[in-house]
Amino acid sequence: MILFIRFTYKWLKRSIKIAFIGTVIALIGALGLLIFAITQGPPSLMTEQNTLYYSSKGEVIGEDHGAQERYWINIEDMPETIKEATIAIEDRRFYNHFGFDLKRIAGAALTDLKQMRMAEGASTITQQYARNLYLSHDKTWKRKIQEALYALRLEIFYNKEEILEGYLNTIYYGHGAYGIESASRYYFNKHAEELTLTEAAMLAGIPKGPSYYSPLANEENAESRQKQILAEMERNGFITSAEKTEAVEASLVYSDHKETSEKEVAPYFQDQVVAEAANLLDIESEQVMTGGYHIHTTLNEDHQEILEEQVASQMPKEEDVQLAAAVMNSHNGSITALVGGRDYKESPYNRATQAKRQVGSTIKPFLYYAALKEGYSPVTMIESKPTDFEVGENGKVYSPTNFNDQYADKPITMAQALAVSDNIYAVSTHVDIGTEKLVRTLKTFGIHNNAKPVPSLALGATSISLYDMVSAYGKMLKGSESLESHTIEKITDRHGNVLYEYQPTYNEEDKIDPDRAFTITHMMTGMFDSSLDGDYASVTGSPIKGKLTRMYGGKSGTTDYDSWMIGFSPQFVSAVWIGHDEGGRKLETFNEKRYAKSIWAGTMESIHETLPTAAFIPTPNVKGVYIDPETGNRSGPNCPKERLVYMDKKDIPKEVCGGNEDKDKEEIENEFRNDPWFKDVVDWFF
């Protein structure tokens, strides 16, 4: 007996000691776990969310969500019914535990031990939220431990309302819908704040098994679980018996997803918005689409519709050429419409921004801008005739030709050369001023494409995107390097915090000269002025001149493989490119080469239809003067034609065609005396 007592005493003493040590270890472990959770800091409450895109009028034009539908709304915007229904069925002691429901855990553990597997879960809302944010849904002990750590961190750093808000914004409701707002839109075509008790109870039952409890997949199972949830809500005091009965008996009307005829708005434009946003925020494109951003774009839906209609009406469906086109506000650089191909579904490749094609004669305005700095003027005369140009020091010869191999065989002015797109004049000018000058000028206008300083560069032997060309022409029109083409005005996060807002930037080191820019801008209106027709060539805008009701400027360009038209009014710049995706495939027919001008003309006329007539305003340091297009002299009574040009006052010719030079000089000086700069604005109206 004594031996038994001694044995029992030793056993109890040892057990107490072991229990004490175990308790100390457990407390140390718990303390260590707590310290670890605290040192890890607050975990992010965010997960992937839908990014919304707005037009310039503030209307939603599209959204991105990666592979799923996601939205984030504040808990204040959620109805009490969805919060109460979720708590009643998922975690009725949510407000009373610290992330873990010990009673449920004990019951679940007993069941798991009996079946020798993890058969029953006891996850709280906090644990489920942690799993949704960071973890997989595998039923392993490792995942359970990680889940507990994340849940602990959530409970330490966030209050219950924040956790519930996050949970209801991230839980999966089936059919690709994550979060209560997305689920409400998908199932009932309404915002979450508009949900009835009946609808909320139905949605609250889905996360348990989205494929099993979705009313669209299995209405019987869904209704059974809905009744269970309503009963739990009554038992927990959230609703009365009468409210439960009314909710059970109420009928539900679900959204019809069989017909989705809604057309996506400006898909090529939206792709550019994503690319631009990724660059501005310094993140990946996928992060833009799933970051829950609100991106306010520059899209004018009317302009976009006009551009798309012009493409469809001007180009037959059986025509297999591709195109790119864009419209830009010339005052601030905002892209108001953009098309990157014939059919986005067939080819999402954005030819407006991603494709770089040889620009042909559309490069000439930048060449002549550079030439003005070197002493040229709109009336500088160069002979248009077949000419061989030496290339480098190895004796190679470059022999450009004019269209149809036709030449003036006499000197012509720069104004006429630009209007009829004389290639000999362009290459002669390019070689004379130094081929590197044009390369430098392209960079001044924002084109950084490693263009080579060779004679053929004067004829557009370099590849540039349509997007960059629109921006460069806009800089010329505005006379400032501050104008940049852009598709985004503002980006905010889901709380409305402004992350980015467009502001023009200025380059003090490489400024654009506004006087030279205006001189070139005005010369480009000559492509529609028949007074500049030569004996050997008509102005390049003559095929569409009859379609135009306003004054425009612009430049066309054609290679064997590319057809361009870039033009502008005082309000907008527009560009169209036509060609084949296969770089070595030529434009074979006349129709293929005329589409660019036709689409451009139709687009610009439609855009301006409701706008008041606007004037191009000359800069203070240039003077408008009428000249004889044939001789470059000032226009006089005996001149059959005349053309208004703008230039530096020192460059205005002294001679008048058929007049006396001394008398002409005196008349010019008298005319300039006390002549206000704005006098010439009237010359810009039809």
Side-chain angles (χ1 to χ4, degrees):
M1 183 65 181
I2 295 174
L3 290 174
F4 176 75
I5 293 173
R6 287 178 178 177
F7 175 79
T8 303
Y9 173 75
K10 289 181 180 181
W11 182 82
L12 288 172
K13 185 177 180 181
R14 182 178 299 174
S15 298
I16 293 171
K17 185 176 181 180
I18 292 172
F20 176 76
I21 293 172
T23 301
V24 171
I25 293 173
L27 289 173
I28 293 173
L31 182 61
L33 188 63
L34 184 62
I35 293 173
F36 174 78
I38 293 173
T39 57
Q40 291 296 300
S44 172
L45 291 177
M46 287 295 296
T47 185
E48 293 182 351
Q49 300 297 319
N50 280 25
T51 289
L52 299 178
Y53 305 96
Y54 300 87
S55 70
S56 58
K57 295 180 181 179
E59 299 174 353
V60 175
I61 59 172
E63 60 186 276
D64 271 323
H65 44 74
Q68 302 92 21
E69 293 280 354
R70 298 175 185 265
Y71 300 89
W72 188 287
I73 60 173
N74 295 325
I75 196 163
E76 293 83 4
D77 297 326
M78 300 178 188
E80 291 298 319
T81 51
I82 191 61
K83 292 183 278 188
E84 293 168 350
T86 301
I87 289 173
I89 196 62
E90 295 290 345
D91 187 3
R92 62 178 180 271
R93 284 184 284 273
F94 172 70
Y95 288 103
N96 300 318
H97 62 62
F98 197 66
F100 310 97
D101 189 335
L102 298 180
K103 184 175 181 180
R104 288 181 65 192
I105 290 174
L110 183 60
T111 302
D112 291 346
L113 286 173
K114 288 179 178 179
Q115 300 189 22
M116 297 302 294
R117 63 185 181 89
M118 298 188 69
E120 185 174 317
S123 295
T124 61
I125 284 176
T126 307
Q127 288 174 279
Q128 291 182 56
Y129 184 28
R131 184 191 315 143
N132 293 337
L133 283 175
Y134 311 107
L135 304 168
S136 69
H137 288 250
D138 297 333
K139 289 188 175 184
T140 64
W141 289 108
K142 179 181 179 181
R143 197 270 296 162
K144 279 289 187 182
I145 294 171
Q146 290 177 318
E147 178 186 299
L149 288 173
Y150 279 119
L152 183 61
R153 289 171 61 194
L154 288 171
E155 290 283 351
I156 290 173
F157 291 103
Y158 299 104
N159 61 44
K160 291 291 186 179
E161 293 300 296
E162 290 173 314
I163 294 172
L164 184 59
E165 176 182 309
Y167 173 83
L168 287 171
N169 275 304
T170 57
I171 197 68
Y172 184 50
Y173 287 90
H175 303 283
Y178 282 77
I180 188 59
E181 176 68 12
S182 180
S184 181
R185 294 189 189 192
Y186 185 84
Y187 287 97
F188 301 112
N189 194 29
K190 62 171 61 177
H191 293 291
E193 62 184 354
E194 302 169 331
L195 289 172
T196 66
L197 172 60
T198 305
E199 293 166 341
M202 177 60 74
L203 292 182
I206 297 174
K208 175 73 172 178
S211 61
Y212 189 74
Y213 292 114
S214 163
L216 304 183
N218 195 320
E219 191 171 5
E220 184 179 347
N221 290 345
E223 290 178 351
S224 175
R225 185 157 174 81
Q226 177 200 41
K227 292 176 182 178
Q228 179 187 357
I229 290 171
L230 290 169
E232 288 293 326
M233 292 180 73
E234 180 191 9
R235 191 162 70 88
N236 286 275
F238 291 132
I239 59 175
T240 65
S241 177
E243 288 173 326
K244 183 193 77 170
T245 301
E246 183 180 353
V248 169
E249 294 176 351
S251 60
L252 292 173
V253 178
Y254 300 103
S255 301
D256 184 4
H257 296 279
K258 293 180 180 179
E259 296 184 6
T260 54
S261 59
E262 185 176 356
K263 182 180 179 182
E264 186 176 5
V265 178
Y268 289 106
F269 178 92
Q270 290 192 45
D271 281 355
Q272 174 59 19
V273 170
V274 173
E276 195 172 307
N279 181 60
L280 293 171
L281 301 176
D282 195 23
I283 58 178
E284 297 296 325
S285 295
E286 182 67 21
Q287 292 174 284
V288 172
M289 294 187 287
T290 59
Y293 300 107
H294 291 240
I295 302 180
H296 299 265
T297 78
T298 60
L299 183 75
N300 183 312
E301 291 187 77
D302 293 334
H303 288 190
Q304 183 68 31
E305 185 177 353
I306 287 170
L307 182 57
E308 291 177 356
E309 286 179 351
Q310 286 299 316
V311 171
S313 63
Q314 299 287 349
M315 297 182 68
K317 290 183 178 181
E318 60 271 16
E319 187 67 81
D320 65 348
V321 292
Q322 276 294 348
L323 91 155
V327 179
M328 181 180 73
N329 183 306
S330 61
H331 299 294
N332 56 30
S334 59
I335 299 295
T336 61
L338 186 143
V339 171
R342 300 284 299 277
D343 191 323
Y344 184 83
K345 292 181 179 179
E346 289 186 4
S347 173
Y349 177 63
N350 196 334
R351 296 157 187 84
T353 60
Q354 295 174 282
K356 294 186 177 183
R357 303 294 296 236
Q358 289 208 352
V359 294
S361 293
T362 59
I363 204 172
K364 290 176 181 176
F366 307 107
L367 168 64
Y368 296 140
Y369 172 91
L372 294 182
K373 186 178 181 181
E374 303 304 316
Y376 280 63
S377 80
V379 293
T380 297
M381 307 289 286
I382 295 178
E383 190 169 8
S384 169
K385 66 178 183 179
T387 307
D388 295 330
F389 298 90
E390 289 189 10
V391 181
E393 300 177 355
N394 55 6
K396 284 188 176 181
V397 174
Y398 175 57
S399 303
T401 59
N402 279 345
F403 179 68
N404 284 340
D405 212 25
Q406 295 179 327
Y407 308 89
D409 291 321
K410 63 181 180 179
I412 62 174
T413 64
M414 179 189 289
Q416 187 176 54
L418 183 59
V420 301
S421 202
D422 190 285
N423 291 337
I424 304 302
Y425 192 108
V427 178
S428 297
T429 303
H430 184 47
V431 172
D432 180 52
I433 67 174
T435 54
E436 73 284 349
K437 301 289 176 52
L438 178 52
V439 174
R440 195 175 308 147
T441 298
L442 291 175
K443 292 179 180 178
T444 298
F445 283 85
I447 297 172
H448 304 273
N449 70 328
N450 298 317
K452 304 299 181 184
V454 295
S456 59
L457 181 61
L459 306 184
T462 188
S463 297
I464 306 171
S465 73
L466 179 138
Y467 198 76
D468 286 344
M469 288 298 286
V470 167
S471 182
Y473 268 64
K475 292 175 191 287
M476 185 77 78
L477 178 57
K478 189 174 183 179
S480 172
E481 69 287 347
S482 66
L483 185 141
E484 288 287 348
S485 56
H486 61 282
T487 61
I488 298 175
E489 291 292 348
K490 184 172 67 174
I491 303 176
T492 69
D493 63 16
R494 63 186 177 87
H495 297 295
N497 299 313
V498 177
L499 306 178
Y500 165 81
E501 194 158 11
Y502 174 78
Q503 294 292 337
T505 58
Y506 297 85
N507 185 354
E508 295 297 331
E509 297 180 0
D510 202 4
K511 295 181 71 66
I512 291 173
D513 183 284
D515 297 324
R516 284 190 279 143
F518 182 81
T519 298
I520 299 300
T521 296
H522 176 264
M523 276 205 297
M524 280 193 276
T525 65
M527 78 171 289
F528 304 113
D529 187 350
S530 58
S531 70
L532 289 171
D533 285 343
D535 296 334
Y536 69 107
S538 300
V539 292
T540 55
S542 56
I544 55 174
K545 177 176 170 55
K547 301 178 180 179
L548 306 179
T549 60
R550 301 178 180 231
M551 177 169 280
Y552 300 101
K555 187 72 190 76
S556 58
T558 304
T559 73
D560 288 339
Y561 310 97
D562 308 273
S563 176
W564 292 79
M565 178 60 205
I566 310 177
F568 48 82
S569 69
Q571 298 103 319
F572 294 99
V573 182
S574 179
V576 182
W577 166 86
I578 302 291
H580 295 283
D581 286 338
E582 304 86 351
R585 186 178 173 188
K586 293 183 179 182
L587 294 174
E588 299 290 348
T589 68
F590 170 77
N591 282 338
E592 290 178 335
K593 295 180 180 180
R594 74 175 176 83
Y595 290 135
K597 288 179 182 177
S598 297
I599 293 171
W600 178 87
T603 299
M604 292 296 274
E605 281 293 292
S606 296
I607 284 174
H608 289 83
E609 189 173 350
T610 59
L611 298 178
T613 303
F616 295 82
I617 307 299
T619 53
N621 297 320
V622 297
K623 172 64 182 176
V625 60
Y626 283 92
I627 66 164
D628 170 24
E630 289 294 316
T631 64
N633 295 333
R634 295 186 74 235
S635 175
N638 298 323
C639 294
K641 297 181 184 179
E642 64 179 11
R643 161 67 185 174
L644 176 66
V645 297
Y646 282 83
M647 64 185 81
D648 192 295
K649 292 179 181 180
K650 66 178 177 56
D651 294 324
I652 293 179
K654 302 297 186 291
E655 294 185 13
V656 175
C657 62
N660 180 277
E661 181 176 353
D662 292 334
K663 184 180 179 181
D664 297 339
K665 182 177 180 181
E666 183 180 349
E667 289 179 355
I668 293 170
E669 291 174 351
N670 290 334
E671 183 179 340
F672 287 169
R673 194 174 289 117
N674 301 321
D675 188 7
W677 67 269
F678 54 81
K679 169 182 170 292
D680 296 316
V681 173
V682 295
D683 295 324
W684 283 79
F685 290 96
F686 276 154

